[in-house]
Amino acid sequence: MEHQHHHQHDENHHTHSHDQAIEDPIQSEQLHLIKVITAFAYYKRHSLNHNHRRRRDYLSLSEHHKKLIPDYLDKVNQIDGRIEENMKLIRAIVKSASMFTEDTDEQEQDSQKQQDPPVSPMDMDKVRSTLKQFVRDWSKEGECERKVTYEPIIQELNEIYKNLPMRDRGAVRVLVPGAGLGRLAFDIAKAGFSCQGNEFSYFMLFASHFVLNRMKIENEYKIYPFIHSNSNIKSDEKQLDPIMVPDVLPANLLETVDFSMVAGDFIEVYSQENNREAWDVVVTCFFMDTAKNILEYMEIIHKTLKQNGTWINIGPLLYHFEDSSSGDASIELSLEQVKQVARKIGFEIRKETMVPTTYTSNPDGMLKYVYDCAFWTAVKI
């Protein structure tokens, strides 16, 4: 089941990587791919360095204070081991990503040799966010979050096509932009619909390609996504417990179902003529606020839908480019404005409600960012 590749969320700032240069498209894309692979490869060294700071700080304590927390160094050492365990999955992702670019084998060694960090703090944050995204999309622990946002979407699709036999659902084409690690798109395909996920971030694309095409058994990898910060931790034991991925093996889709992942910028890919009125449903989940211009997103969704096609949306409005330092223009609308524009463009909003949910949060942490998400079903009229 090879899914061709033709979204980072964090619990308080979900982002899409929109930093590809434009000059020479092929060369700039290769440089961008190498940058992403280098960030993955640098994860172990960066994380061990960061963890070693905790060791130094403990050793600088007075003997009296050290005796009060005798197990502190033991936890620091255990975190070192869990960083290595996370690196097993990351190495496998990098190896799988070699189909996208050349010269990836040397990346990890090169990143270990270099004196200066070869990647930005922002890129390292995206690597850590990718680990959290695995929890949300492909672990038992992420099931509660998935149920809150993915289940209403699947239920809505089931309701719209309730009179269509399962064997005929494959003729229904569903598009999921900002597909991240691909679980929502996979679940839609599992429900019998043909589904295409679209993703711009190569952090997400490399990881989704790996999980959708290379993972061989359930619970194949142990990951520890919550070891990078000791803030808001209730229990050391819980923090150090493994999360197993994947909770299901992405396989066994009906033969009638066409399932694919497409790489690229949503606007560039889906404004092309071959996508005009090509889709029965567009599903946007934590996606609309990744726009520089949300009006353009809505227009393209409208154009790609067939007449009477359905737009299902769930998500907040945490505008990714609102405080962009790169000088990108950003249009930020209120929820009321978004709905007004949707109606002006030619949507009729049939159902709407609000759904509270966290995003890639630590289930056992002391801090939860809760988004009050707008959930609606709109029809192209």
Side-chain angles (χ1 to χ4, degrees), residues 44-56 80 83 128 227-230:
K44 178 181 167 182
R45 180 177 156 192
H46 179 273
S47 301
L48 288 175
N49 286 347
H50 186 262
N51 195 42
H52 188 58
R53 192 270 309 159
R54 296 167 177 155
R55 191 176 283 109
R56 282 199 316 270
D80 275 355
I83 289 165
R128 291 189 293 269
I227 57 169
H228 306 106
S229 169
N230 283 345

Side-chain angles (χ1 to χ4, degrees), residues 238-257:
K238 276 282 188 193
Q239 185 190 15
L240 296 170
D241 274 351
I243 287 170
M244 311 300 292
V245 293
D247 63 322
V248 299
L249 204 59
N252 306 325
L253 295 176
L254 293 172
E255 285 185 6
T256 50
V257 168

Side-chain angles (χ1 to χ4, degrees), residues 335-348:
L335 180 56
E336 281 180 7
Q337 282 181 304
V338 170
K339 289 177 181 175
Q340 284 168 6
V341 170
R343 292 184 180 103
K344 285 178 185 173
I345 285 172
F347 284 108
E348 184 183 302

Side-chain angles (χ1 to χ4, degrees), residues 256-286:
T256 50
V257 168
D258 179 25
F259 178 44
S260 60
M261 288 283 281
V262 170
D265 179 85
F266 172 66
I267 290 168
E268 287 174 24
V269 175
Y270 294 94
S271 58
Q272 291 170 13
E273 198 56 39
N274 63 330
N275 276 295
R276 184 178 283 271
E277 299 198 351
W279 301 92
D280 297 285
V281 184
V282 176
V283 170
T284 50
C285 179
F286 277 75

Side-chain angles (χ1 to χ4, degrees), residues 132-304:
K132 290 183 188 172
Q133 199 77 26
F134 269 101
V135 180
R136 175 179 170 83
D137 264 13
W138 295 103
S139 81
K140 187 79 181 152
E141 287 78 0
E143 192 172 14
C144 287
E145 256 189 22
R146 286 198 299 277
K147 277 190 166 174
V148 175
T149 45
Y150 295 0
E151 268 197 6
I153 291 166
I154 306 282
Q155 285 167 1
E156 194 61 29
L157 285 167
N158 286 335
E159 176 63 27
I160 295 165
Y161 295 102
K162 64 185 175 191
N163 297 325
L164 197 62
M166 183 63 92
R167 66 178 181 276
D168 296 334
R169 279 185 170 188
V172 176
R173 302 186 74 221
V174 182
L175 173 63
V176 181
L181 293 198
R183 180 60 179 265
L184 175 58
F186 173 75
D187 284 352
I188 290 169
K190 196 80 178 160
F193 302 98
S194 285
C195 189
Q196 183 168 101
N198 162 240
E199 180 52 58
F200 185 83
S201 162
Y202 276 106
F203 290 91
M204 297 285 108
L205 283 164
F206 289 161
S208 67
H209 178 265
F210 179 70
V211 74
L212 292 171
N213 296 298
R214 298 288 181 262
M215 286 193 168
K216 296 290 183 277
I217 50 171
E218 283 182 20
N219 300 322
E220 190 174 351
Y221 287 89
K222 289 179 184 175
I223 59 168
Y224 303 87
F226 303 115
I227 57 169
H228 306 106
S229 169
N230 283 345
S231 295
N232 290 308
I233 297 297
K234 285 182 192 166
S235 148
D236 289 343
E237 191 182 356
K238 276 282 188 193
Q239 185 190 15
L240 296 170
D241 274 351
I243 287 170
M244 311 300 292
V245 293
D247 63 322
V248 299
L249 204 59
N252 306 325
L253 295 176
L254 293 172
E255 285 185 6
T256 50
V257 168
D258 179 25
F259 178 44
S260 60
M261 288 283 281
V262 170
D265 179 85
F266 172 66
I267 290 168
E268 287 174 24
V269 175
Y270 294 94
S271 58
Q272 291 170 13
E273 198 56 39
N274 63 330
N275 276 295
R276 184 178 283 271
E277 299 198 351
W279 301 92
D280 297 285
V281 184
V282 176
V283 170
T284 50
C285 179
F286 277 75
F287 175 69
M288 296 305 293
D289 52 5
T290 67
K292 293 176 185 175
N293 179 353
I294 195 169
L295 309 167
E296 196 170 16
Y297 269 22
M298 285 192 276
E299 278 184 339
I300 289 172
I301 290 167
H302 190 267
K303 282 175 187 161
T304 59

